[in-house]
Amino acid sequence: MAKPLFRPQRFLRRTQFLLFFLTAAYLMTGSLLLLQRSRLVLQQGFRGSSSNQAVPVVHVLLASGSIEARPAHKSYIVPKVLMNMDALHGPTAEQKYGPRWLMMRNSELRQLRRRWFLELVDEQEPFRAMGTQVLKHTFENKGTYMGCFMDDPREKSLKGTVFYDLRKMTVSHCQEACAERAYTYAGLEYGSECYCGNKLPLTTARQEDCNSECKGEKGTICGGVNRLSVYRLEETWARPKQRQLAGLQASSSRGQNIIYRGCFKMPEDLTHALPVFVIHSNLTVEMCLEFCSKKEFSLAVIRGTQCRCGFPTVQFPLHNGTDRSVCSRLQNVSSPSQVPKGEDYWFVYQTPVQDTRCTDRKFLPTKSKASVALSSFPGAGNTWARHLIEHATGFYTGSYYFDGTLYNKGFKGEKDHWRSRRTICVKTHESGKKEIEMFDAAILLIRNPFKSLVAEFNRKFAGHLGYAADQKWKSKEWPDFVTTYASWWASHVLDWLTYGKHLLVVHFEDLKQNLLPKLREMVAFLNVTVTEDRLLCVENNRDGNFKRKGTRPQGFEPFTQDMKDLINEYIVTVDKALKERNFPGLPKEYLPR
């Protein structure tokens, strides 16, 4: 009886083993297919990005070097500029001011971070796929290739205008940007960075060291790691070929770049304040601008036959100008002895050259002990404030989000994780108890809500530097936008007044009208010491690249009376809350009357 049952038992055992083997083989095959698909997704970048892709921690590279600033980690925030925070009379802790679309906005920002990771991986793939293929420099451009040079961060030769483009950088794009600013050389690095200047780098490098492919032009070289592909801009492209007069151009086609700064009195030590000069009997404004641009100075100062070049300094701050007629009266003076005592006035012009004394920035050499937020409602000038802070302190600012457009414009802290504490402060538009209490201190930037709403609506439909189309303002989206966002403008300030630990309140309008005093206050709050000349450099570069381009709608009033009544109620509420907390109230210029 046992023998007949033995065969079925053996068959069942073999079947179990076979089923186990098939199951294991199936799982292994599925795993291999999943790995292959994951590799394909990473190679495809945005096209194959997964919504469930985890956000990686950005690798940390500690910066080196020194600057005339005291790192923020050496002591805590300066107490004299930090206001005491108690409970605010009004909204309770349980109230949620943030509108429902804020969750959608945060979701979009998280997607940007995920896509950024995929783009970083995608940027490395072309070189793996190319194998031994040799990339060549393109000569289909409007400049002469000078060679591959070493980029010494301590002694930069191309230290003029700098910009980045992680997706569309090309040789011609860099050359055009440098030529537009009257530079002689254009250098490309890391495949996505462009540098301009008038001096060729001193140290050459091996040609094979320049091996980074341009992000916007396959098969073309744009420098390498600490290596510059340098081009000399053609004279016919940068400016018309004209006869030279004592080192000056007789005229210039760049009249559209002339910026008149005013009529100013010269300091007593003229040689120290404006060290470079030239004298010419037929001197023109264009000739003086051309001369000072070639010497890489941001100011061209002219009177009669004399042209001087320099930067704004403590001795020559450009703060107390006089009427243009005073300088016009002195234009025909041929000798300094003929100038009446106390009336040594000159015309001052801005050259296309960027003032580079405050453009070098880096990450904090060691992690900061305090996490400081730069908080504002969207459209309140946060990007502009970051530009001012970075150039004043010499340290990058971070961001709670990631914006590739801002990274391309030089905000390298965008890519750094906001918790890294390697940045001097962190941009955020968040509100709510949990989000606010993650920071130890904050600069709270407040702007006129009417202006903020318009700026954010423009950004939403036309980017950081554009204007929304006329039909957008007349559509249903605008009134819905005002209804939702106006409440957020108020709740954002109220939440930070309620939950913020240490606050410095800065009004956008005050910062715009009194830049240097307010900037000194912000820098002191961040516990950084800077020189006065560096602050004057920031003032000289105050606008950066953040003015909107295109045509501003003329004579169009986007706010209805109902909208104005709604926003004015929020203005009164916020003004009252600020004064109750012993902060300055809102500027009188937009308080309802």
Side-chain angles (χ1 to χ4, degrees):
M1 185 70 182
K3 193 171 183 179
L5 292 175
F6 176 74
R7 290 183 177 179
Q9 288 176 354
R10 187 171 61 181
F11 174 77
L12 290 174
R13 287 173 183 169
R14 289 179 177 176
T15 303
Q16 290 175 351
F17 178 79
L18 182 61
L19 289 173
F20 175 80
F21 175 81
L22 291 175
T23 302
Y26 175 79
L27 292 174
M28 290 176 64
T29 304
S31 299
L32 291 173
L33 290 173
L34 182 60
L35 287 173
Q36 185 178 6
R37 177 178 175 80
S38 298
R39 182 180 178 186
L40 180 61
V41 167
L42 290 177
Q43 290 178 350
Q44 288 178 338
F46 288 116
R47 292 174 294 176
S49 61
S50 169
S51 61
N52 296 321
Q53 174 66 46
V55 181
V57 178
V58 180
H59 62 280
V60 178
L61 297 174
L62 292 179
S64 61
S66 62
I67 194 170
E68 68 270 19
R70 184 173 69 255
H73 72 280
K74 289 189 178 180
S75 62
Y76 289 101
I77 305 301
V78 180
K80 65 182 179 180
V81 295
L82 300 178
M83 301 296 182
N84 182 33
M85 293 299 298
D86 300 320
L88 175 68
H89 301 291
T92 64
E94 290 76 23
Q95 283 182 291
K96 298 296 181 183
Y97 298 102
R100 60 183 182 180
W101 45 259
L102 183 56
M103 297 178 62
M104 298 174 58
R105 180 183 178 86
N106 290 338
S107 176
E108 293 175 0
L109 293 164
R110 286 193 293 270
Q111 290 293 330
L112 280 173
R113 289 188 177 198
R114 297 185 183 115
R115 291 176 178 178
W116 168 244
F117 168 66
L118 294 175
E119 184 178 354
L120 284 180
V121 177
D122 183 54
E123 287 172 359
Q124 299 174 5
E125 288 298 324
F127 293 98
R128 297 177 188 148
M130 286 167 60
T132 59
Q133 179 184 354
V134 178
L135 295 176
K136 297 182 179 180
H137 286 274
T138 178
F139 290 94
E140 296 178 2
N141 52 66
K142 299 178 180 179
T144 302
Y145 179 64
M146 303 301 294
C148 183
F149 293 84
M150 295 181 65
D151 183 25
D152 186 353
R154 296 167 299 181
E155 191 63 37
K156 284 184 174 291
S157 297
L158 302 181
K159 57 182 180 180
T161 300
V162 179
F163 72 96
Y164 312 87
D165 197 328
L166 293 174
R167 300 183 63 190
K168 299 179 180 179
M169 179 61 74
T170 64
V171 173
S172 59
H173 183 29
C174 179
Q175 290 176 337
E176 289 171 3
C178 293
E180 183 181 347
R181 292 162 177 82
Y183 287 105
T184 304
Y185 296 101
L188 298 105
E189 189 173 2
Y190 295 109
S192 60
E193 300 182 2
C194 175
Y195 298 86
C196 309
N198 289 326
K199 297 178 182 177
L200 197 65
L202 297 176
T203 309
T204 58
R206 296 182 305 166
Q207 193 58 52
E208 53 267 29
D209 289 348
C210 286
N211 52 18
S212 295
E213 187 179 44
C214 299
K215 300 301 182 185
E217 192 173 7
K218 292 191 180 226
T220 305
I221 290 293
C222 284
V225 178
N226 291 325
R227 298 293 185 269
L228 287 162
S229 295
V230 180
Y231 293 83
R232 180 181 178 85
L233 305 179
E234 290 185 2
E235 194 75 12
T236 54
W237 187 34
R239 58 192 67 85
K241 283 185 179 178
Q242 292 154 347
R243 60 193 182 93
Q244 300 290 322
L245 295 174
L248 299 174
Q249 293 281 352
S251 61
S252 174
S253 64
R254 298 193 170 277
Q256 68 271 23
N257 287 336
I258 295 177
I259 300 174
Y260 175 65
R261 294 293 301 270
C263 177
F264 295 92
K265 186 177 181 179
M266 290 298 104
E268 292 184 4
D269 190 353
L270 191 61
T271 303
H272 180 73
L274 303 167
V276 178
F277 71 95
V278 69
I279 298 175
H280 194 279
S281 57
N282 296 321
L283 186 68
T284 65
V285 173
E286 290 81 1
M287 292 164 63
C288 187
L289 282 166
E290 186 79 11
F291 175 75
C292 294
S293 296
K294 294 289 285 183
K295 298 297 182 180
E296 295 190 345
F297 287 100
S298 62
L299 296 181
V301 182
I302 185 172
R303 189 183 66 193
T305 60
Q306 297 183 67
C307 169
R308 287 188 172 270
C309 312
F311 298 106
T313 61
V314 175
Q315 294 79 22
F316 190 49
L318 299 184
H319 287 162
N320 299 311
T322 189
D323 190 80
R324 184 170 189 149
S325 60
V326 176
C327 286
S328 298
R329 196 169 62 245
L330 299 171
Q331 267 300 92
N332 296 325
V333 173
S334 58
S335 173
S337 60
Q338 298 177 353
V339 177
K341 189 175 181 179
E343 294 189 17
D344 192 14
Y345 288 91
W346 294 52
F347 285 119
V348 180
Y349 296 88
Q350 186 86 28
T351 73
V353 173
Q354 185 179 20
D355 190 341
T356 59
R357 297 172 298 164
C358 56
T359 54
D360 290 342
R361 290 157 288 166
K362 63 181 181 179
F363 290 102
L364 293 173
T366 58
K367 292 185 178 180
S368 173
K369 292 182 179 179
S371 178
V372 184
L374 177 61
S375 177
S376 72
F377 176 78
N382 198 300
T383 301
W384 181 55
R386 289 176 67 187
H387 162 77
L388 297 175
I389 290 172
E390 287 196 4
H391 285 75
T393 65
F395 296 117
Y396 288 117
T397 58
S399 177
Y400 190 78
Y401 322 102
F402 168 73
D403 189 327
T405 302
L406 293 181
Y407 182 87
N408 287 345
K409 289 187 174 296
F411 290 97
K412 288 192 173 181
E414 283 287 327
K415 193 173 65 173
D416 209 52
H417 193 278
W418 72 274
R419 286 184 183 270
S420 71
R421 298 205 176 190
R422 298 196 309 142
T423 54
I424 195 68
C425 61
V426 177
K427 163 192 172 178
T428 180
H429 298 311
E430 301 299 309
S431 54
K433 185 175 186 295
K434 180 180 178 182
E435 290 76 8
I436 293 173
E437 290 183 345
M438 292 188 295
F439 295 96
D440 302 308
I443 296 174
L444 180 59
L445 185 64
I446 306 174
R447 187 183 186 185
N448 182 334
F450 292 99
K451 299 289 182 65
S452 292
L453 291 170
V454 169
E456 177 61 7
F457 194 75
N458 280 323
R459 186 208 62 81
K460 186 175 181 181
F461 292 103
H464 287 281
L465 301 177
Y467 292 98
D470 188 57
Q471 58 265 31
K472 290 292 183 182
W473 298 98
K474 297 178 180 178
S475 69
K476 189 175 180 294
E477 291 178 272
W478 170 239
D480 291 344
F481 177 89
V482 171
T483 302
T484 311
Y485 273 62
S487 63
W488 184 21
W489 175 85
S491 68
H492 180 273
V493 177
L494 296 175
D495 275 2
W496 278 93
L497 291 176
T498 304
Y499 306 119
K501 299 174 186 176
H502 302 291
L503 290 181
L504 172 67
V505 175
V506 176
H507 296 286
F508 175 87
E509 291 74 19
D510 293 342
L511 181 61
K512 190 174 180 181
Q513 294 174 8
N514 305 294
L515 180 66
L516 285 184
K518 287 298 176 183
L519 190 55
R520 288 192 193 98
E521 192 176 353
M522 294 165 69
V523 169
F525 184 85
L526 296 169
N527 200 27
V528 178
T529 302
V530 299
T531 65
E532 191 68 18
D533 278 352
R534 189 174 182 101
L535 290 177
L536 289 171
C537 171
V538 177
E539 185 183 40
N540 201 33
N541 295 334
R542 62 182 297 160
D543 291 333
N545 299 316
F546 309 106
K547 282 198 170 182
R548 295 190 181 276
K549 300 177 181 178
T551 304
R552 185 189 301 269
Q554 298 292 333
F556 174 63
E557 173 56 63
F559 296 97
T560 64
Q561 189 58 48
D562 289 341
M563 292 179 184
K564 292 179 181 179
D565 293 340
L566 174 67
I567 296 171
N568 282 333
E569 289 181 9
Y570 291 131
I571 290 176
V572 172
T573 301
V574 169
D575 182 64
K576 180 181 178 181
L578 284 168
K579 292 177 179 177
E580 287 177 352
R581 303 300 308 146
N582 295 321
F583 288 110
L586 296 176
K588 295 181 179 180
E589 63 187 72
Y590 64 86
L591 285 174
R593 295 177 175 82

